[in-house]
Amino acid sequence: MIWFQILAVIGILALVGFFIANRGTARASAGVKLLFVAFIVFGAYAMFRQDDVTWVANKLGIQRGLDLVLFLLVIAFAFTTVSTYLRFRELEIRYARLARAIALQNAKSENHPTDP
C-alpha cells in the first residue's frame, strides 16, 4: 500500500498546484466540475458494485474497498477545503478593493462639491 500512498500524495500536490496556479480560469473551473462528476459517478458505482471496488482496492494494495473509498473521500474533502479557502480569500480581496474605491470616490466628492 505504500506505493499507492506515495502516488496519491503526488497526485494531490499536483492537483492543488494546478488549481492554485490556474484559479479563476475557465480551464480550472471545468476541471473542478469534471472531477466532481467523476467522484459522484464513482460513489454511485461503489454503492452498487462493492465487490468491484474491493477488487480495484486489492489491485492497488489496499485490503478493503471501503478503505479506498475513504481515502478518496479524504482527498476530495481536502481539495474542497483548499478550493473554498482560496475562493473566500479572493472574495475578501475583491471586497477590500471595492471598499477602497468607494472610500476614495466619497473622499473626492467631499473635497470637490458640485452643489452650490
Side-chain angles (χ1 to χ4, degrees):
M1 186 163 86
I2 256 324
W3 70 272
F4 176 77
Q5 292 169 335
I6 293 170
L7 187 64
V9 168
I10 291 171
I12 291 168
L13 293 176
L15 276 174
V16 169
F18 172 77
F19 286 112
I20 288 174
N22 296 311
R23 70 176 180 264
T25 64
R27 184 175 181 187
S29 180
V32 169
K33 290 175 184 174
L34 287 175
L35 285 174
F36 178 72
V37 169
F39 189 74
I40 295 297
V41 168
F42 173 76
Y45 185 81
M47 283 191 284
F48 294 109
R49 302 292 303 225
Q50 296 170 7
D51 292 336
D52 292 350
V53 176
T54 301
W55 181 83
V56 170
N58 289 334
K59 293 297 180 186
L60 293 173
I62 301 170
Q63 292 181 0
R64 299 182 305 169
L66 180 62
D67 292 339
L68 175 62
V69 172
L70 180 63
F71 294 155
L72 294 176
L73 185 61
V74 167
I75 292 168
F77 177 74
F79 178 75
T80 302
T81 303
V82 169
S83 176
T84 302
Y85 169 75
L86 292 173
R87 189 176 318 131
F88 280 135
R89 186 173 169 207
E90 187 175 317
L91 284 174
E92 287 175 359
I93 291 170
R94 285 184 182 183
Y95 285 143
R97 288 179 182 160
L98 178 62
R100 282 188 210 124
I102 291 171
L104 287 173
Q105 186 67 31
N106 288 342
K108 287 179 184 177
S109 65
E110 289 176 6
N111 289 338
H112 301 294
T114 56
D115 295 330

